[in-house]
Structure formats: structure tokens, C-alpha cells
Amino acid sequence: MAGEAQADCLFCKIVEGSIPATVVRETETTVAFRDINPQAPTHVLVIPKAHYPDAAGLAAAEPSLMADVLREAGEVAAQDKVDATGYRVVFNTGVGAGQTVFHAHAHVLGGRGFEWPPG
Ligand code: AMP
Ligand code: ZN
């Protein structure tokens, strides 16, 4: 069923606590933890506790949960004090765009400048 934990999903295991992560924020519906391979001084992943393969699927199935993820992205930026200088929120969707973990997640990147268009 949509939203149920998947046994073979890395981020479901982080939600369960069976794989460790550096958790920076947690709510009833979300977890935020530092990316293991950071691409900026602040690089935090915000995930819904429920499993959805990508951001659009999450938004379609549970819009309020997607709103929770985006609100938490802002809270992470404020907590890491990158909100005033600017930060980027990225949802890689699909292999061609660089998605490697198929449990929806927002990358929150900050603490340095960013190019546009993105690479
Ligand atoms: P994406 O490539 O958009 O699917 O993002 C997946 C992200 O998860 C990458 O930036 C990885 O560095 C990160 N990642 C993979 N394994 C872990 C882990 N065990 N703890 C924290 N971040 C991870
Ligand atoms: Zn999952």
C-alpha cells in the first residue's frame, strides 16, 4: 500500500533507526538528517517517514505531507543559519536527474553560492 515502509529501502531503515544517521530535526511525519556525501556546508535531506518513491508521487498522494517536508526544509535552513544568505531545495526525480534513493527526499543545500542554470 502507498506510504508503507519498504524492506529494501535505505531511508525507511533510517526512519526505523536500523541504519544510523545524523538527525538534525524530527517531527511526527518527517526526519531531517545530514547527507553522508555533502555537496555544500549545509546539506541535509528531509524525508517523509512514509515511503513514496518520488516527490510528485508524494504530493499527489498526500499533499499535506509534502507541505510538511517543505516546511521542514525551511526550518533546517533557519536552524543552520543559511536562510538569510539563501539556500536551494532540490528533488532529484528519476535516474536521469540523479535520483539514487527511491524514497522521496528534499536536499537542502546552503552555505555557499550556487550556479544557475544548475549542472
Ligand atoms: P539522490 O541522489 O537525489 O537520490 O539523493 C540521495 C542522497 O542520499 C545522496 O546525496 C547520498 O549522498 C545520500 N545518502 C546515501 N546514503 C546515505 C546515508 N546512509 N546517510 C545519509 N545520506 C545518504
Ligand atoms: Zn522508503
Side-chain angles (χ1 to χ4, degrees):
M1 212 178 95
E4 279 185 8
Q6 301 294 301
D8 58 349
C9 174
L10 175 66
F11 288 175
C12 283
K13 289 180 180 152
I14 287 178
V15 172
E16 287 164 17
S18 59
I19 287 184
T22 305
V23 173
V24 296
R25 290 184 61 83
E26 182 168 3
T27 69
E28 206 172 301
T29 58
T30 65
V31 183
F33 53 93
R34 298 215 181 269
D35 196 292
I36 204 166
N37 181 24
Q39 302 301 313
T42 287
H43 187 172
V44 171
L45 303 176
V46 182
I47 67 172
K49 289 182 176 175
H51 179 96
Y52 291 96
D54 62 37
L58 164 61
E62 277 198 71
S64 71
L65 182 52
M66 183 53 144
D68 292 347
V69 169
L70 287 171
R71 189 181 322 105
E72 279 300 296
E75 293 294 340
V76 163
Q79 192 170 296
D80 267 23
K81 298 187 167 51
V82 298
D83 52 337
T85 47
Y87 61 95
R88 191 167 282 183
V89 180
V90 175
F91 292 94
N92 294 326
T93 303
V95 173
Q99 187 176 5
T100 58
V101 178
F102 288 83
H103 178 131
H105 52 279
H107 294 257
V108 182
L109 297 145
R112 66 167 172 83
F114 294 98
E115 303 289 325
W116 193 264

